[in-house]
């Protein structure tokens, strides 16, 4: 079978206001699941050929990850989630309750932030980006090129897509000192220029995605923008080393992106890569080598300490690779004899339950085994290494050791990393601290 990743389209279902929803968060999650099951039965009854399923997790939680997937005949998959405003009311009530424990308040605060991000901020952001793309059609191409550039350089997991969209929109909203980009590629180069020229350490980037806010800003109604600036100032005051939020972006509607990621190390790499890409683009333009621009999306692997190579046959998103090798898109493995009648490449997207022909494609809805593999690596080794990957069909994982683990330190029984005595490493024998027989560093060879 050909395993083919299908990216689900997020859909939010919101019912009319009703006082019949319960006052218990756990019960609300169970009611949502009941609605999903009812909707699935009605969809399959009214639209024959439509495949729908309900995916649940632990239902005894205040915020459930349950959703409903709908696979249409067209091949599109819609991932539907129910939004109920009462959940936020109950979460706020639990946070403000003086009888609540600190653990409960922390849990409710995280759940509230997640609900706001998923059901309020991201939908508003999507609507604003769509409006701007309708106004400036080339913005859409700029966003896609920029996202692909980040992914091609193995940075897709280290930045939010919304952060990239804000960054791309800024070169259209505030194009000075140039004119607004006339095509998507020019916009992409402007984004790279913005990355390298903005004073990320000392200035918050405020992006006005909703242009209707411009008039209110001129009338000194700047509450949300001022709140964002204060938040940025407080962040820098409490984190002088810019460990978090180095590439801070706020919007006039009050959303903030870039707090948790990219990290300082990744942010510095982004700026270095953007600077190098601009120099290379200038060289290509001067020499008239327009066909070489694709090389902007080739990342150097020499900077990584370890390279993990993946089997393209097991990468469900390999078909999205920029430099895809078509031999891996066949259900026949390399070296096998190919039967032209059965060799179906990238045609039918079907679900596991409907597989009738071994040559047809099996849709893996939202399932990327590489993503889960990366999740396991980060869960086990996040203290000693950073992992980088191109989610759009990349076949390598870049690994960079955390430098602090190579600083000699005394051995302790509680040491959790695979370590080696410094005295056993010839290249470190003259390093400070190497003469202490109990000093250790990370055993990278292991």
């Amino acid at each position: 079978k050909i395993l083919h990743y299908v990216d689900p389209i997020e859909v939010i279902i919101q019912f009319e206001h009703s006082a019949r929803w319960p006052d218990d968060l756990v019960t609300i999650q169970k009611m949502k699941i009941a609605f999903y099951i009812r909707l699935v039965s009605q969809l399959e009854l009214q639209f024959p050929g439509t495949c729908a399923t309900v995916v649940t997790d632990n239902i005894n939680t205040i915020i459930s990850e349950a959703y409903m997937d709908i696979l249409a005949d067209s091949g599109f998959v819609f991932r539907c989630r129910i939004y109920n405003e009462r959940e936020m009311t109950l979460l706020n009530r639990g946070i403000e309750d003086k009888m609540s424990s600190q653990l409960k308040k922390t849990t409710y605060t995280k759940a509230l932030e997640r609900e706001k991000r998923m059901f309020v901020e991201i939908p508003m952001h999507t609507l604003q980006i769509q409006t701007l793309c309708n106004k400036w059609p080339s913005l859409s191409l700029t966003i896609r090129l920029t996202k692909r550039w980040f992914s091609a350089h193995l940075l897709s997991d280290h930045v939010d897509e919304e952060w990239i969209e804000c960054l791309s929109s800024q070169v259209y909203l505030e194009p000075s000192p140039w004119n607004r980009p006339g095509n998507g590629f020019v916009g992409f180069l402007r984004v790279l220029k913005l990355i390298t020229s903005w004073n990320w350490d000392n200035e918050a980037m405020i992006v006005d995605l909703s242009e209707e806010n411009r008039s209110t800003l001129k009338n000194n109604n700047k509450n949300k923008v001022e709140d964002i600036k204060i938040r940025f100032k407080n962040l820098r005051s409490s984190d002088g080393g810019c460990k978090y939020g180095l590439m801070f972006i706020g919007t006039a509607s009050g959303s903030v992106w870039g707090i948790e990621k990219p990290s300082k190390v990744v942010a510095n790499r982004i700026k270095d890569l953007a600077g190098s890409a601009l120099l290379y683009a200038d060289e290509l333009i001067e020499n008239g080598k327009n066909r070489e621009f694709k090389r902007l999306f080739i990342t150097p692997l020499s900077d990584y300490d370890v390279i993990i190579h993946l089997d393209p046959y097991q990468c469900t998103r390999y078909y999205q690779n920029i430099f895809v090798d078509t031999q891996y898109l066949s259900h026949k493995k390399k070296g096998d004899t190919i039967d032209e009648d059965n060799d179906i490449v990238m045609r039918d997207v079907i679900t596991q339950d409907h597989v009738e022909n071994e040559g047809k494609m099996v849709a893996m809805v939202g399932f990327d085994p590489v993503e889960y593999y990366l999740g396991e690596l980060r869960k086990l080794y996040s203290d000693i290494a950073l992992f980088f990957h191109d989610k759009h069909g990349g076949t390598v994982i870049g690994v960079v050791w955390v430098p602090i683990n190579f600083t000699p330190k005394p051995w302790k029984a509680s040491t959790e990393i695979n370590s080696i005595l410094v005295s056993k490493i010839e290249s470190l024998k003259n390093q400070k601290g190497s003469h202490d027989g109990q000093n250790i560093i990370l055993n990278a060879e292991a």
Side-chain angles (χ1 to χ4, degrees), residues 173-190:
L173 292 166
E174 301 289 344
S176 179
W178 303 284
N179 294 326
R180 188 168 284 110
N183 60 67
F185 190 75
V186 172
F188 164 64
L189 294 179
R190 296 273 185 86

Side-chain angles (χ1 to χ4, degrees), residues 140-152:
S140 177
L141 178 56
T142 296
I143 291 173
R144 294 199 301 272
L145 283 171
T146 306
K147 286 183 179 180
R148 199 59 193 245
W149 183 83
F150 273 94
S151 188

Side-chain angles (χ1 to χ4, degrees), residues 170 174 198 204-208 225 228-229 248-252:
Q170 182 69 349
E174 301 289 344
W198 190 267
M205 182 182 292
I206 308 296
V207 183
D208 183 14
V225 173
I228 290 176
K229 290 181 178 179
F248 182 102
I249 296 180
T251 67

Side-chain angles (χ1 to χ4, degrees), residues 11 41 44 59 72 156 166 177 234 280 318 322 351 394 396 421:
V11 176
S41 62
E44 294 181 339
I59 61 175
S156 50
C166 287
N234 293 337
Y280 185 67
Y318 180 70
I322 294 179
T351 60
V396 297
L421 291 172

Side-chain angles (χ1 to χ4, degrees), residues 278-329:
L278 284 173
L279 291 175
Y280 185 67
D282 288 340
E283 180 182 333
L284 293 178
I285 293 172
E286 289 178 3
N287 297 327
K289 298 180 179 179
N290 296 338
R291 294 186 179 181
E292 298 293 323
F293 278 115
K294 200 171 183 179
R295 295 184 62 83
L296 290 172
F297 298 85
I298 299 177
T299 192
L301 298 179
S302 58
D303 296 330
Y304 296 99
D305 297 311
V306 178
I307 300 294
I308 301 174
H309 294 274
L310 306 172
D311 182 0
Y313 284 112
Q314 306 305 320
C315 299
T316 57
R317 303 185 72 164
Y318 180 70
Y319 69 96
Q320 298 176 349
N321 194 301
I322 294 179
F323 303 96
V324 64
D325 186 343
T326 55
Q327 70 176 349
Y328 294 111
L329 302 183

